[in-house]
Amino acid sequence: MPDEIEVIVPDKEEVLDIELEEDLLEANRKIAEENKQLLEKYRIRAIDVMGSVGSGKTTLIERLIGLLKDRYRIAVFGGDVTTTIDAERLRKAGAKTLQINTGKECHLDANLVRKALGKIDLNDIDVLFIENVGNLICPAEFPLGTDSRVVVISVTEGPYTPLKHPYIFMEADVAVINKIDLAEAMDVDVNELEAKIKKVSPDVVVVRTSCKTGEGIEKVAKVLGLL
C-alpha cells in the first residue's frame, strides 16, 4: 500500500469551461466596482456575510441589528435559494429587508445586488448587510462591491473547515468562529481552529462569538468599524 493517497487534478486544457468562467468573473468584477461606487456615493457601509448553512449568519446579523439599530438606519439583502425565512427574521429584528432568491445558483453575484440596490431608497440607509447564500465555495469568487467581507463558521462544522475551504478565508476581511459555547461538547479546540484560519489567511481578523449568548458581538461590530 502506498504511503500517500494519489490526488488527480485536471490540467488547464482539460477544464472545458475555463474561458467562459474567466469572462463571467471579469464581468462580475466590473459590476461589483460599479456597486461600490454607488454605495460610496450614498455613504452606505456594506458588508457581505458568507458562510455555510447553519453556521449562524442570520443570527449574527440579527444580533448586530439589535446592537446597532439605534445608531444606524440598517437594511439587509437576504440571499437564499428559494425561501424568505431568514429575511423575515431580520425584518422582525428591525431592519429594512429585501429578499434575493437565486434559484439553482449557490451564491449572490454583483448583478443581482445591483438590481436590489435599484429597489430601495439609498438615501434612507447607513449600513447594508448582505447575507449571502449558504455556501463556502462559490461566494468567494463573486465580490459584490461591499466594503467588507465576513465569513462565519461554527465549531459544529468540525476542525477542518479552513483547510478544506481555504479560498473563502483568503477573500474575507473578518472570520467569525461561532457557537464557541458548544466547543467542548463538539470536542473542537478553538485555538487550533483559529490557527488553521491564520495559516490559510494570515491577515484576516478572527473573532470568536456565541451568537446564542451574545458573546463577541460587540467585537465584530468594532472590527467592522461600526462602533
Side-chain angles (χ1 to χ4, degrees):
M1 180 177 294
D3 293 334
E4 296 183 353
I5 297 174
E6 183 180 5
V7 179
I8 298 173
V9 297
D11 292 332
K12 186 173 182 179
E13 62 271 17
E14 294 176 318
V15 181
L16 299 179
D17 61 351
I18 189 166
E19 184 174 347
L20 174 62
E21 182 179 354
E22 288 178 349
D23 288 346
L24 179 64
L25 295 178
E26 179 58 25
N28 184 80
R29 279 191 287 269
K30 289 180 179 177
I31 298 173
E33 183 56 34
E34 293 171 5
N35 289 345
K36 187 172 181 60
Q37 291 175 9
L38 181 63
L39 290 163
E40 287 176 350
K41 176 182 176 182
Y42 285 89
R43 299 186 177 185
I44 297 171
R45 180 146 182 96
I47 297 123
D48 179 9
V49 182
M50 308 174 289
S52 61
V53 174
S55 61
K57 300 187 299 299
T58 306
T59 309
L60 174 65
I61 297 172
E62 203 170 36
R63 285 282 190 179
L64 288 170
I65 291 170
L67 178 66
L68 302 169
K69 64 182 179 183
D70 292 334
R71 184 185 296 249
Y72 301 108
R73 298 169 297 172
I74 301 174
V76 179
F77 292 167
D80 200 310
V81 174
T82 59
T83 79
T84 61
I85 296 171
D86 295 341
E88 288 295 334
R89 282 178 54 187
L90 298 171
R91 182 178 61 82
K92 290 177 181 176
K96 301 176 181 67
T97 61
L98 186 64
Q99 182 68 46
I100 304 176
N101 284 347
T102 60
K104 295 181 179 179
E105 298 299 325
C106 56
H107 60 89
L108 295 177
D109 62 43
N111 188 50
L112 284 170
V113 170
R114 179 170 64 179
K115 287 184 177 181
L117 290 172
K119 299 286 187 183
I120 59 175
D121 183 358
L122 299 178
N123 289 301
D124 198 32
I125 299 170
D126 300 312
V127 176
L128 172 64
F129 292 107
I130 302 176
E131 181 175 357
N132 220 308
V133 177
N135 191 301
L136 283 172
I137 302 173
C138 304
E141 290 193 301
F142 289 84
L144 306 177
T146 56
D147 297 289
S148 304
R149 307 191 83 187
V150 177
V151 58
V152 183
I153 61 169
S154 71
V155 299
T156 55
E157 296 168 57
Y160 302 113
T161 301
L163 303 182
K164 290 183 174 181
H165 300 283
Y167 300 111
I168 200 160
F169 293 92
M170 294 163 68
E171 293 294 328
D173 303 292
V174 179
V176 173
I177 302 175
N178 191 30
K179 303 185 185 180
I180 57 173
D181 51 306
L182 298 177
E184 184 175 350
M186 295 302 301
D187 195 23
V188 171
D189 186 322
V190 178
N191 290 328
E192 290 185 5
L193 190 56
E194 179 169 343
K196 291 185 176 81
I197 293 172
K198 285 292 189 179
K199 181 178 180 180
V200 300
S201 183
D203 295 330
V204 72
V205 177
V206 180
V207 183
R208 305 177 185 189
T209 66
S210 167
C211 290
K212 180 179 179 181
T213 66
E215 182 178 353
I217 301 300
E218 283 194 15
K219 186 171 182 181
V220 174
K222 286 178 180 176
V223 300
L224 291 172
L226 298 174
L227 281 180

